[in-house]
Amino acid sequence: MNYKIEQLPSYNLHIIKTNKFKNVEVTICFRRPITKNERTIRSVLVNTLLDTSKKYKTGREIEIETEELYGSYINIYSMNSGKCSILGATTTFLNEKYTESGQFNRAIDLLYELLLNPNVSNNKFNEKSFLLAKDIVKDAIKSRKDNPVEYATNRLFEEINPKNPITFKTNLKDLNKINEENLYKYYLDVINNDTIDIFVVGDVTDKMIKDLKKKFVFKKRAYQELDHYTIEHNICKEVITKESLPVKQSTICLGYVFDELSDFESRYVMKILNYILGGSSDSLLFKTVREKESLCYGISSSYGLLSGGLLIRAGIDKNNFNKTKKLILQEVENLKNGQFSLDEIKKGQTCYENSCINMQDSIGEISSLYRSICFIKSDTPENRIKNIKKVKKDDVIKLANKMHLSKIFFLEGSIK
């Protein structure tokens, strides 16, 4: 695998050449520091762009074109990434070595049409596509409580710090302010001002890269190095917040924050700590709360690198709240006291090493890997494997003792 970056006048082009795959993947990312009111309009924008363009008037026409491109995949999406918002457009298609000459250009032409030749007239998006996109976002907002676990997780983060960008989400108030005209103005602002990176993965030729650069030309701009990290240290005065929802299963979420961490601690020691605590079926929490005490339907922990917080969540019967909470807190103390074996560390290291090896077997994972290297300065798989092997038991204990409980959010199911 050969990686090269070209710094062009309007964007950085990342070329990852590999003959491991029959496919080629092209991803274009538009990034900017996120503001609370932009979360909704970016969601409406991506859904509008996906539905139609000047050339392809309907979703069916787009579908036909992807079918003629041997079942190519195309998507436009919006996502939060710490302090930043990413509007991404990606296409995956068969290399023309296995189809016919011109496949590459035809595939990127489709991406260009959807992203840069939208169905606009009189400085307004097509009304039908806009209204459809708006309805999709509205339905997603209204159905947010249909997934109680995700709802409880988001509420926990809001309770810890509602100003943290990781809590920003789509909402009806902002949605009602969006129309075809101001959405198009926002689209132009994104295209002309966001920081842009283009990632190309596959067995591509110099001519393909040259054709891509001719196709994707943007207004000249300075490339901005954006900070995605939004590390949270806040500890709430009131530790427990409860809320009721008409569901059968209750959800308990515990949010932990940490003292200042080194890069090695946050990227590698944390992986092992999380694996031992609640990141596997061999974890302390799973074996005690799930298997031994049978108090939950499922329990796990996860760590957010960009937010710097650790989340524990479990699906329980509402009557088991106090006992479950007590056991979770006890297992965290056991972790701090080093009540785990070296074998558990080795299992965590092996699991992480295998994931680093496996990610290189997927063209999508490789593209995602190089985006993380670019955006948040992640390591290569080779360096990740070297570093995870350096983690010792004392490192895990030291890190565990930097953990502080910030908030417990309990979503109580009211249906018996």
Side-chain angles (χ1 to χ4, degrees):
M1 197 169 338
N2 179 265
Y3 172 65
K4 182 175 73 170
I5 180 170
E6 294 186 25
Q7 297 177 329
L8 303 176
S10 55
Y11 61 88
N12 281 357
L13 176 61
H14 308 259
I15 306 162
I16 304 99
K17 285 191 177 183
T18 173
N19 58 9
K20 194 171 185 178
F21 308 101
K22 291 184 177 180
N23 288 339
V24 175
E25 181 161 299
V26 178
T27 299
I28 305 176
C29 292
F30 298 81
R31 291 183 295 148
R32 66 168 59 187
I34 189 63
T35 60
K36 197 169 187 177
N37 64 337
E38 283 183 285
R39 187 71 178 90
T40 304
I41 197 167
R42 282 173 94 87
S43 293
V44 176
L45 176 59
V46 297
N47 282 287
T48 303
L49 293 174
L50 264 176
D51 185 65
T52 183
S53 73
K54 282 285 189 184
K55 183 176 181 180
Y56 303 99
K57 300 295 185 182
T58 66
R60 179 57 187 156
E61 290 182 33
I62 297 169
E63 185 179 342
I64 290 171
E65 181 64 8
T66 60
E67 289 172 355
E68 291 185 355
L69 285 165
Y70 300 90
S72 68
Y73 168 82
I74 192 161
N75 189 31
I76 302 176
Y77 59 90
S78 175
M79 62 177 287
N80 277 10
S81 177
K83 290 181 181 178
C84 295
S85 176
I86 299 175
L87 190 154
T90 186
T91 182
T92 309
F93 51 92
L94 274 173
N95 195 312
E96 60 185 49
K97 287 172 61 176
Y98 308 100
T99 55
E100 68 264 351
S101 178
Q103 170 87 348
F104 181 87
N105 282 327
R106 189 171 174 182
I108 64 171
D109 281 350
L110 177 58
L111 186 65
Y112 174 90
E113 288 296 326
L114 293 184
L115 185 62
L116 296 175
N117 192 25
N119 193 356
V120 173
S121 60
N122 299 319
N123 295 316
K124 294 181 180 181
F125 274 106
N126 173 265
E127 182 182 19
K128 182 179 178 182
S129 297
F130 165 75
L131 292 176
L132 176 62
K134 197 171 181 178
D135 283 342
I136 291 171
V137 175
K138 183 185 292 184
D139 289 343
I141 294 170
K142 290 183 174 181
S143 63
R144 194 165 282 144
K145 291 184 180 181
D146 292 348
N147 187 330
V149 176
E150 289 303 315
Y151 175 75
T153 303
N154 290 329
R155 286 288 293 112
L156 172 73
F157 294 146
E158 288 174 344
E159 289 290 328
I160 292 174
N161 182 2
K163 295 182 180 179
N164 192 313
I166 65 171
T167 68
F168 296 169
K169 56 182 180 292
T170 54
N171 63 83
L172 292 175
K173 182 179 178 181
D174 288 335
L175 183 65
N176 291 332
K177 297 177 183 177
I178 303 170
N179 56 46
E180 301 96 311
E181 188 173 7
N182 60 30
L183 182 65
Y184 181 60
K185 288 181 180 178
Y186 183 78
Y187 163 80
L188 292 177
D189 185 50
V190 170
I191 298 299
N192 292 325
N193 296 304
D194 274 21
T195 294
I196 304 175
D197 292 271
I198 299 181
F199 298 83
V200 183
V201 185
D203 191 8
V204 292
T205 64
D206 290 342
K207 181 183 182 304
M208 291 176 182
I209 297 301
K210 185 177 179 180
D211 289 343
L212 183 141
K213 287 190 285 188
K214 285 182 179 179
K215 191 71 180 179
F216 291 99
V217 178
F218 300 94
K219 175 185 172 184
K220 185 177 179 181
R221 73 204 69 184
Y223 187 86
Q224 300 291 322
E225 293 291 346
L226 300 174
D227 179 16
H228 287 243
Y229 290 86
T230 172
I231 304 300
E232 184 63 68
H233 296 296
N234 188 52
I235 297 177
C236 302
K237 292 181 180 179
E238 295 183 11
V239 176
I240 301 175
T241 295
K242 295 185 179 183
E243 186 177 317
S244 180
L245 203 64
V247 294
K248 288 185 177 181
Q249 181 176 305
S250 298
T251 303
I252 180 173
C253 295
L254 295 85
Y256 285 85
V257 295
F258 291 80
D259 295 332
E260 294 293 333
L261 303 179
S262 68
D263 190 65
F264 180 70
E265 285 179 318
S266 64
R267 293 185 186 274
Y268 298 106
V269 184
M270 190 68 73
K271 292 289 185 182
I272 303 303
L273 180 150
N274 183 64
Y275 180 89
I276 294 171
L277 178 61
S280 74
S281 58
D282 288 330
S283 68
L284 299 176
L285 291 174
F286 191 89
K287 287 189 290 188
T288 299
V289 185
R290 174 71 176 86
E291 291 187 336
K292 184 179 178 181
E293 299 293 337
S294 299
L295 286 174
C296 62
Y297 306 101
I299 187 167
S300 64
S301 66
S302 58
Y303 174 70
L305 178 64
L306 299 181
S307 65
L310 185 140
L311 165 70
I312 297 171
R313 61 186 184 184
I316 63 173
D317 183 278
K318 64 180 180 181
N319 297 318
N320 292 330
F321 171 74
N322 288 324
K323 190 173 182 180
T324 304
K325 173 175 70 72
K326 182 179 179 180
L327 284 173
I328 291 174
L329 295 177
Q330 183 58 57
E331 287 304 330
V332 171
E333 286 304 309
N334 291 342
L335 185 70
K336 292 181 177 183
N337 293 327
Q339 294 182 27
F340 56 92
S341 68
L342 293 177
D343 187 54
E344 288 171 295
I345 293 177
K346 290 179 181 178
K347 286 180 181 178
Q349 290 170 325
T350 300
C351 181
Y352 184 72
E353 183 176 349
N354 288 338
S355 70
C356 290
I357 294 170
N358 292 337
M359 73 169 57
Q360 298 175 73
D361 292 329
S362 163
I363 195 168
E365 288 289 332
I366 290 174
S367 180
S368 178
L369 166 68
Y370 279 91
R371 293 197 298 273
S372 71
I373 290 172
C374 173
F375 299 162
I376 61 174
K377 313 307 177 190
S378 293
D379 285 331
T380 62
E382 294 77 15
N383 285 336
R384 293 183 189 189
I385 291 171
K386 289 178 183 178
N387 283 318
I388 203 70
K389 291 178 178 179
K390 296 177 183 177
V391 178
K392 308 298 182 184
K393 184 171 183 178
D394 286 346
D395 296 324
V396 178
I397 295 172
K398 180 181 176 183
L399 177 58
N401 281 279
K402 292 184 177 184
M403 289 177 64
H404 304 286
L405 180 62
S406 176
K407 189 73 179 182
I408 298 174
F409 182 82
F410 182 50
L411 185 64
E412 185 177 40
S414 60
I415 298 177
K416 294 182 180 180

